[in-house]
Amino acid sequence: MLREALLFDARGRAIQQHHKVFSRDWDEIGDWSRRVYMPYAVSPTGRAAQPRSTMHSAMVGRITVTRFAYGIPVHIRDWSQDAGNAVVLTTIGGNARHRLDGGGAVETGFGESFVVDCSRTDYLVDFDPDHLQLNLTIPHAVLEQVCQDWFGFVPGDALWRHKCGLGGKGSSWLALMDYVMRCIAEAPDRLASDRIGRHLEQTICVHLLNEWAGNAGLDLSDPRNALAPRVVRMAESYMAERAAELPAMTEVARAAGTSLRALSEAFRRFRGYPPSQFLREQRLQGVRRDLQAAAPGASVADIAAAWGYINKGDFARVYRMRFGETPSRTLRR
């Protein structure tokens, strides 16, 4: 079923699309992919520079399901964090190579998936000439809502920044994907808004979150997670809004209405890291966003200084360890 996903309905008729399903035009493909995924940068990596793209899509609740290939080998990077989406990419033809932080990679063949929350971390992927992907684009806000509704809390970046493979031959995730494609074939125009579509949306998200969290070493069913105190969430919100001001931890604790010792203990117990680590991540992500959006003539030093980084050598080292490239390279791109 996956090999013909989104092509035919249950009666064998072509599923009608509201857009072209084949294109050789980069602008046309880019416009479609920005709408169904998010803005990103793509470049060919082989001799062929002109794509032969296949494009199909359907909605399941608030999840966008796509069947997509460029028809040539490509490298994709710089996925927009502002779009607020996570993606689950399932290979149904050829191979894909998904980069991990630290220099490793996960390669996916038929029936194997990879999940990354592009609203929380960067993402690099290479597709071979024969690649064909069956992808899910899920708003981060939907995943947070499902976490709150089903598990009683919203996880931190220990989950959202974790990139990993899942599924594969004989897996329950692959069986779920096959089931979803069969549901689309039976009712291709109904799943965007009716109850069946919302039920499928919930099923997909709950299953995905459980597998994703397991790979990240988290147990979403642990009752301690649901008890994460309000002071932790208040502190995170305060630091996210004022990261560039580099607030002292005593100031953060005071804003959250608790002592520094109590706040540190709450973070250790319910997040697994100190509050200062959360602030460091917010600053690094802020610098990266500004480097990516910088106007011509902007300098790394000025952007880093705006986020409180004075020592250029230390900043460059920390940035490269976090993102796998120098800040100057991010600025050039």
Side-chain angles (χ1 to χ4, degrees):
M1 186 67 189
L2 292 182
R3 292 190 185 276
E4 297 186 345
L6 303 186
L7 295 180
F8 306 104
D9 66 17
R11 297 184 179 181
R13 300 171 301 191
I15 296 177
Q16 296 300 310
Q17 299 286 309
H18 301 292
H19 52 77
K20 291 181 67 174
V21 298
F22 179 81
S23 179
R24 289 178 173 270
D25 184 87
W26 280 110
D27 290 337
E28 196 169 57
I29 299 165
D31 178 67
W32 180 83
S33 61
R34 281 190 293 272
R35 285 186 286 108
V36 301
Y37 299 119
M38 66 200 80
Y40 58 76
V42 58
S43 55
T45 56
R47 293 182 179 179
Q50 186 177 39
R52 304 185 304 277
S53 185
T54 299
M55 303 174 290
H56 293 78
S57 65
M59 294 298 297
V60 176
R62 291 165 290 180
I63 298 174
T64 306
V65 184
T66 49
R67 175 193 180 94
F68 185 43
Y70 277 97
I72 59 173
V74 295
H75 172 69
I76 300 178
R77 66 186 186 279
D78 296 340
W79 299 67
S80 171
Q81 290 194 356
D82 293 338
N85 291 327
V87 289
V88 186
L89 306 96
T90 299
T91 299
I92 58 174
N95 291 275
R97 190 168 190 266
H98 313 267
R99 310 285 184 88
L100 299 174
D101 296 335
V106 171
E107 296 192 11
T108 55
F110 180 81
E112 297 174 325
S113 301
F114 188 85
V115 58
V116 56
D117 187 343
C118 296
S119 75
R120 293 297 186 272
T121 187
D122 55 337
Y123 177 41
L124 304 175
V125 60
D126 295 284
F127 294 114
D128 74 7
D130 301 317
H131 74 275
L132 179 60
Q133 298 298 129
L134 183 63
N135 301 328
L136 308 178
T137 305
I138 310 174
H140 177 87
V142 171
L143 292 170
E144 284 198 350
Q145 179 185 335
V146 171
C147 281
Q148 188 65 58
D149 292 346
W150 283 79
F151 304 108
F153 81 110
V154 176
D157 282 347
L159 175 63
W160 307 128
R161 285 177 47 202
H162 185 75
K163 313 167 191 175
C164 64
L166 53 91
K169 184 178 180 181
S171 67
S172 57
W173 172 254
L174 190 60
L176 175 59
M177 291 294 292
D178 184 80
Y179 172 70
V180 171
M181 295 310 114
R182 292 177 186 274
C183 290
I184 293 174
E186 291 175 359
D189 297 323
R190 290 176 47 201
L191 299 185
S193 57
D194 69 6
R195 291 182 179 180
I196 297 176
R198 293 305 294 269
H199 171 72
L200 277 177
E201 172 196 291
Q202 294 283 301
T203 302
I204 292 168
C205 290
V206 171
H207 192 119
L208 171 65
L209 286 163
N210 272 314
E211 293 219 16
W212 191 359
N215 276 283
L218 304 173
D219 180 4
L220 297 180
S221 298
D222 188 332
R224 290 175 299 177
N225 290 323
L227 300 176
R230 182 169 175 266
V231 294
V232 170
R233 297 191 294 273
M234 291 178 62
E236 289 174 337
S237 177
Y238 187 86
M239 287 187 283
E241 292 175 0
R242 296 168 176 80
E245 301 170 15
L246 195 58
M249 287 301 108
T250 51
E251 177 186 339
V252 174
R254 186 163 55 250
T258 189
S259 68
L260 177 58
R261 180 176 180 179
L263 182 65
S264 299
E265 175 60 23
F267 264 82
R268 184 197 65 78
R269 180 179 178 189
F270 295 101
R271 292 294 186 254
Y273 49 78
S276 58
Q277 183 173 326
F278 179 89
L279 179 60
R280 283 196 298 270
E281 177 63 18
Q282 298 303 305
R283 294 172 66 210
L284 284 170
Q285 292 290 352
V287 171
R288 186 168 179 81
R289 286 193 300 271
D290 287 356
L291 288 171
Q292 291 172 332
S299 72
V300 170
D302 287 345
I303 293 173
W307 286 90
Y309 291 101
I310 305 302
N311 188 309
K312 293 187 291 185
D314 286 346
F315 164 69
R317 176 182 55 80
V318 171
Y319 187 95
R320 185 168 187 172
M321 288 179 61
R322 172 63 184 87
F323 298 112
E325 66 179 12
T326 63
S328 59
R329 178 173 175 78
T330 304
L331 180 63
R332 287 197 300 272
R333 288 215 309 266

